[in-house]
Amino acid sequence: MGMEVNSGAPRGAAPRHEAALFALGLAIPFLILSLVNVYHAEDVRVFVDWATCWRTDARHVYSVCPSANYPFVGVAASGGAIAALQHALSLGDVEEIARYYRLILAGFDAANFALLVLIGRALRLRHAVALALAIEVLPSTWAGGAVWGQIDTISQFFLLVSLHGLMRAYQLAGAPQPRRAAHGFFLLGLSALALCALTKQLAIFSIVATAPLILAALWRLAGSRRGLWLGFGCMALAGGLFLFLDRQAEVPGYFGSSFLYVWLGGGSHHGRIIAGNGFNLWVLLGRDMASSSDAPFWTPTLFGRAFGVTPRIAGFALYGLAILALAAPLLRFLRGAFSKAAGEGDARFLAGCLLAVAMMNLGFNVFLTGTHERYLYHFYSFALLALAGLAPRAVRAPLIGLFLASGTLYGLFVLSVIRDLPGVLAAWIRPEPLAGLHALLLLTLSALILRLGAARGPSGPPY
């Protein structure tokens, strides 16, 4: 993947090679689906139940179906889509429904591959197609998406569309002659972000991390008063889209908001347990993962009074401290890259924004309680893209290799929930070793951020 194109190759050989890889990338999700003929039956069965409620009364789906705990777009993309499939193809058997529904999800996986290529090219990566293909075939990418039968792949689609739109808006607005298309991409990025927020709760960590990119794009769009007002208009339109879709189903209370309902009322309060089939630092305590995360693991005494420190509270504190500690060097790096001329400075700024998305997702999986097996779905793609653009040249290939290996182990862990692994793998691919491994990855990326914040020059051409 890191090899240069042979200068003696026939003219046009490289484009043909990339075109072949791209076609392969579009086909791979469907190939994987045919080879890995297993899915999470319980999740698909829950979606089928939601589909029944959707057909009964889509407007009141949250009242008819108390188990519906995704925001409106997520319920529509799962229960609503399955209801449409059942109506169009007269499907009744769960096995049959799963087969067709997972084909739709595989289509999103293929679209995500294409978006990864576009983002890689926005980062000026020399091997954007090959890297996107490597990400696509990682078990961490496919095990929790179409194979599982979950809509994380749809969340990822909206997130990737959003990031690409915001990246293009940032680049076009910063061109010597800013193009009108910049505002169109800005609106696309913000609208996709609104859809992402209304798909699954898990997306909130990625959405928060897009703030530097949104603000930087808006700053560039504000080169003129008209550009600034158009930028604000794009934000208002995207906000209107969010409010419109958020209230398409009647919600009991919570100002009629499906988003607030699943976060404050109807959502799954997983944080009250140590972990749910997932891993974090707290599984290393050796407790039952389903046990309460509010039981103290340390009881220090201060001024004669004992205070119980619980995994849940300690997790929030550590996550918050990690964000505060890394925000300053990362923002310092982003400000430096932002101030440079368009080109390499743009690419490094955008890669830094992807690094922020990766770190937000990895950090909450390491520190917070209640993590499930698929909660790292939005991590590896962005970590690998960021490393390809920012890691020092001397260690770039080893670091990418480390993250590809870790993504493989993590993906196999996700797969182990729905399919038994061979004995040797089953013995090692467990929550405790994976918790330690991902804590190491967190330290690795933290060291990279500290280095970027202190560095004054580039670390070599992008991968």
Side-chain angles (χ1 to χ4, degrees):
M1 190 170 67
M3 294 176 64
E4 301 290 344
V5 177
N6 187 340
S7 60
R11 190 178 182 86
R16 286 199 299 271
H17 174 69
E18 286 207 337
L21 286 179
F22 189 81
L24 178 62
L26 294 178
I28 276 178
F30 302 96
L31 178 62
I32 290 175
L33 209 58
S34 66
L35 295 175
V36 187
N37 189 25
V38 63
Y39 62 95
H40 196 280
E42 182 57 31
D43 276 9
V44 174
R45 194 172 292 112
V46 168
F47 289 166
V48 172
D49 290 342
W50 294 1
T52 302
C53 299
W54 185 276
R55 292 197 311 274
T56 301
D57 188 352
R59 180 70 180 166
H60 298 89
V61 65
Y62 291 105
S63 299
V64 179
C65 241
S67 66
N69 60 357
Y70 292 168
F72 177 76
V73 173
V75 174
S78 52
I82 288 176
L85 278 176
Q86 289 175 305
H87 176 74
L89 303 176
S90 301
L91 303 177
D93 180 62
V94 173
E95 187 81 25
E96 238 188 346
I97 292 170
R99 187 179 305 118
Y100 284 97
Y101 184 61
R102 289 161 71 230
L103 279 175
I104 294 174
L105 296 178
F108 277 96
D109 277 340
N112 290 346
F113 162 74
L115 287 163
L116 287 170
V117 173
L118 291 176
I119 289 174
R121 287 179 173 162
L123 296 177
R124 299 165 64 92
L125 300 181
R126 291 178 296 165
H127 306 287
V129 178
L131 182 59
L133 192 63
I135 292 171
E136 183 184 40
V137 300
L138 265 186
S140 60
T141 300
W142 53 260
V147 167
W148 185 287
Q150 255 293 350
I151 64 170
D152 296 273
T153 186
I154 299 179
S155 291
Q156 183 82 332
F157 171 77
F158 290 134
L159 181 57
L160 290 169
V161 170
S162 173
L163 288 168
H164 181 253
L166 294 171
M167 285 177 164
R168 292 298 293 145
Y170 174 82
Q171 290 175 321
L172 293 174
Q177 294 182 337
R179 302 179 189 175
R180 294 179 181 178
H183 284 93
F185 277 111
F186 191 57
L187 177 60
L188 173 65
L190 293 176
S191 299
L193 205 62
L195 292 168
C196 185
L198 291 172
T199 305
K200 288 192 73 171
Q201 297 92 311
L202 186 63
I204 194 66
F205 297 95
S206 301
I207 291 169
V208 169
T210 63
L213 180 54
I214 293 172
L215 293 174
L218 183 62
W219 181 269
R220 281 192 167 180
L221 291 169
S224 66
R225 180 175 296 181
R226 181 175 180 273
L228 177 62
W229 283 112
L230 283 173
F232 284 141
C234 291
M235 297 178 77
L237 287 172
L241 176 65
F242 176 90
L243 293 174
F244 173 74
L245 292 174
D246 187 35
R247 286 157 175 77
Q248 284 305 294
E250 290 195 8
V251 176
Y254 304 97
F255 306 102
S257 167
S258 68
F259 182 81
L260 293 178
Y261 172 67
V262 300
W263 271 102
L264 303 177
S268 304
H269 301 290
H270 300 309
R272 296 289 182 177
I273 61 173
I274 296 293
N277 286 338
F279 53 83
N280 48 48
L281 280 180
W282 312 110
V283 302
L284 301 177
L285 293 174
R287 296 180 179 177
D288 181 350
M289 290 200 303
S291 64
S292 173
S293 59
D294 291 316
F297 67 92
W298 182 39
T299 310
T301 301
L302 183 63
F303 302 120
R305 183 176 179 180
F307 292 86
V309 181
T310 68
R312 189 167 71 92
I313 299 303
F316 279 119
L318 289 171
Y319 188 39
L321 288 172
I323 291 173
L324 290 175
L326 295 172
L330 183 56
L331 289 174
R332 187 161 54 246
F333 164 75
L334 291 175
R335 184 180 64 182
F338 179 82
S339 64
K340 292 180 180 177
E344 186 178 342
D346 277 4
R348 288 175 65 76
F349 175 84
L350 296 175
C353 292
L354 295 185
L355 182 56
V357 175
M359 285 297 285
M360 284 292 288
N361 280 281
L362 178 59
F364 99 80
N365 271 273
V366 170
F367 293 122
L368 300 189
T369 56
T371 49
H372 276 212
E373 65 287 312
R374 289 173 293 101
Y375 281 9
L376 274 170
Y377 188 85
H378 299 300
F379 166 63
Y380 277 99
S381 300
F382 303 113
L384 285 162
L385 286 167
L387 285 172
L390 295 174
R393 190 171 189 176
V395 296
R396 187 174 299 157
L399 280 178
I400 290 176
L402 170 64
F403 276 73
L404 288 173
S406 300
T408 299
L409 293 175
Y410 165 67
L412 291 175
F413 171 74
V414 173
L415 191 62
S416 72
V417 177
I418 55 177
R419 186 174 199 166
D420 291 336
L421 298 177
V424 175
L425 286 177
W428 285 99
I429 301 180
R430 296 180 48 78
E432 296 82 4
L434 286 171
L437 172 62
H438 286 83
L440 174 64
L441 298 185
L442 183 69
L443 291 174
T444 302
L445 292 182
S446 299
L448 175 61
I449 288 174
L450 294 174
R451 185 186 188 281
L452 291 170
R456 295 186 178 274
S459 56
Y463 191 65

